Amino acid sequence: KPTVKPTRRPTMGAWFIDRKIGKCVQSCSLPHPPCGGKRPQWEEGHETWEECCATMPWLNIESCIETPSPTEPPDPTMKPTRWPSKKPTQRPTRLPTKSPLPPRPTKAPTPVPTIDCSVYKWHMSIVPGEDQTCTNDEEYPSEWLSNAQYFLHPTSDVCCQRSFNKSCKTIDWCAGLNQVKVKEANEANEVDAGGGRNQNGESEIDC
């Protein structure tokens, strides 16, 4: 099957000092930090936030970079377990009118190569139109890796709290990939199994 190529994400601009707040911001139009709008022509641009902060040595990293205010994630609440329900009595199955036929030999099912989603960190989405959204895709500025404690988070809940200080929309990009892989594997297993059953539930074998 042809794979759909992902659309290109917008590239982030240079870093510069926002004189209104006295911090280093990035030249981009997203409504969330570290974006600070388009860099004015009269402001000097820097390739990385380290170079930008080096021009203000009297500030530490936390005071130099404009980032979302980190907050502690809320305590998780335990969900109540369901009481076991009584099993309904099963009705007796109808006796087959014909002698059961031996099943066809089937191939071993195709294994599903799922992805370990725990290695993908959650961050606020930089896709236009996905405001107030956290996702675990791999599309984010490379500068965020050098300051991961502020931009990359282990879960979607922590991402929403530290990025927006409230609950937000989430897009589980990794889970979507796994669903596609499981669907493809199931379709392959159905093709390999071959044959089928008729309307009476009896096995069909070519003679």
Side-chain angles (χ1 to χ4, degrees), residues 20-83:
K20 296 179 181 179
I21 59 177
K23 294 184 178 183
C24 285
V25 295
Q26 205 164 13
S27 179
C28 49
S29 58
L30 294 178
H32 315 297
C35 290
K38 187 176 181 180
R39 178 178 64 87
Q41 295 181 355
W42 58 84
E43 289 291 349
E44 181 182 2
H46 305 277
E47 292 296 327
T48 64
W49 65 267
E50 291 93 341
E51 294 179 4
C52 180
C53 288
T55 62
M56 297 185 293
W58 58 88
L59 296 178
N60 55 28
I61 292 178
E62 290 77 9
S63 302
C64 172
I65 304 175
E66 176 66 1
T67 61
S69 300
T71 58
E72 293 296 328
D75 295 333
T77 57
M78 297 182 63
K79 295 182 179 179
T81 56
R82 293 185 177 180
W83 290 99

Side-chain angles (χ1 to χ4, degrees), residues 126-139:
I126 63 172
V127 178
E130 291 182 0
D131 297 338
Q132 303 288 320
T133 301
C134 278
T135 183
N136 59 354
D137 63 14
E138 296 181 299
E139 299 297 329

